[in-house]
Amino acid sequence: MYRPIAAVAAFAMLSACAPIEDMQETEAAGTRALLFEEDFDAPSLDRSKWNVIGMDFWVNNEQQAYLDSPDTIRFSDDVEGADGGALILKPVFRPNVDTNADRKADFISGRINTRDNFDFTYGRAEARIRMPLNRGAWPAFWLLGNGQWPATGEIDIMEYVGEPEWSAVAIHGPGYSGETPFVARRTFPTGQDASGWHVYGVEWTKDAIAFDVDGDVFYTVTRDEIEEKGRWAFDTPKFVILNFAVGGIYPYKVNKLEEPYYGIPQETVDAVKAGKVQMEVDWVRVWGPEG
């Protein structure tokens, strides 16, 4: 997830993608140990795996407060295209709920992570996700180190700011954080966009980090390339994060909108009010290193 630069405070559907993810899963499972699996088939969050972030957390001038609530973190067994149940992270327009006087967000949303429950060093992480088309929405799937940011590293497997033709990836660490040089966009093929089901993945080794969507490896960064900018921060464990931010520094950088909210157009506000904006996650899986 994009992190704050110095100026920031304290922080219709197109066809779903072809079932490439099934081939990915079979190939990975056949060659390495499955370390973590979450299919979201239960009617509630498995708290032995996942933590829920609350209102005290704030970064990137995001326009939501995170809230542990069935309004923001939902589950459904009838999401079209999902294999069984699905996690739904949903922003909600809820003025006068935020307890942070400095922020006073009019939106609430959901953020979960596996910190202190599961982490790993090297391997493959992937998730099958479907996203909304709304500009200024900022869902993400990423890995973060257990220590102080950015010293222990961050791997953004999927970031999306409501521009349906592309999603993005990034790597943050000491000397290459915030405005990191290690960032790339991946444009969806003709006939697809972010509103279809896609598998977002990363292959992380001691020498490189490679990102893919639906098996298409589109961006690789090597240890040598990172060490030209700073220390390689990817020999230590990382935990998994799924979240749905609204507005903030990254959407603003793309859409340049300041009204009615920072990085959010009115049509997205209206869609959130109507309950039409959500991120759906079919599953998350992590495998150990090959060999």
Side-chain angles (χ1 to χ4, degrees), residues 119-288:
D119 57 23
F120 71 108
T121 306
Y122 313 138
R124 175 172 180 80
E126 59 185 38
R128 187 170 186 253
I129 299 172
R130 184 165 66 178
M131 294 180 290
L133 296 177
N134 312 87
R135 296 175 71 205
W138 190 6
F141 165 48
W142 46 303
L143 308 177
L144 188 63
N146 291 290
Q148 184 174 1
W149 188 90
T152 52
E154 173 181 332
I155 302 172
D156 298 331
I157 306 169
M158 184 283 296
E159 289 191 272
Y160 173 69
V161 293
E163 305 294 326
E165 67 273 10
W166 58 269
S167 61
V169 299
I171 296 173
H172 300 266
Y176 46 97
S177 61
E179 296 288 347
T180 176
F182 302 114
V183 61
R185 294 181 182 181
R186 194 267 188 178
T187 302
F188 292 100
T190 301
Q192 298 182 18
D193 66 17
S195 68
W197 285 107
H198 299 283
V199 175
Y200 300 89
V202 67
E203 189 72 38
W204 166 27
T205 73
K206 66 181 182 64
D207 295 315
I209 299 169
F211 299 91
D212 61 88
V213 178
D214 298 329
D216 171 32
V217 179
F218 66 95
Y219 184 58
T220 300
V221 179
T222 68
R223 177 189 284 262
D224 288 344
E225 289 171 327
I226 284 179
E227 288 181 342
E228 291 179 1
K229 301 295 184 179
R231 179 179 54 81
W232 168 269
F234 304 99
D235 292 325
T236 55
K238 309 287 182 277
F239 59 91
V240 179
I241 304 174
L242 291 162
N243 71 283
F244 199 140
V246 183
I249 187 67
Y250 194 4
Y252 172 77
K253 283 183 59 181
V254 175
N255 61 38
K256 304 301 183 184
L257 295 171
E258 296 185 1
E259 299 291 340
Y261 296 93
Y262 187 67
I264 312 172
Q266 185 62 53
E267 57 266 28
T268 295
V269 176
D270 294 340
V272 170
K273 289 180 177 180
K276 296 180 178 179
V277 181
Q278 61 188 36
M279 169 192 188
E280 298 159 346
V281 185
D282 191 5
W283 48 257
V284 179
R285 289 170 191 148
V286 178
W287 287 270

Side-chain angles (χ1 to χ4, degrees), residues 45-50 117:
L45 191 67
D46 184 345
R47 304 278 174 146
S48 70
K49 294 180 178 179
W50 299 97
N117 298 323

Side-chain angles (χ1 to χ4, degrees), residues 92-112:
V92 179
F93 189 73
R94 192 72 57 81
N96 303 316
V97 170
D98 187 6
T99 58
N100 187 328
D102 294 327
R103 179 180 52 203
K104 285 297 180 185
D106 285 342
F107 303 88
I108 57 173
S109 192
R111 174 177 173 131
I112 63 174

Side-chain angles (χ1 to χ4, degrees), residues 77-94:
D77 60 4
D78 62 356
V79 173
E80 181 183 3
D83 181 11
L87 166 71
I88 299 171
L89 297 182
K90 192 175 185 72
V92 179
F93 189 73
R94 192 72 57 81

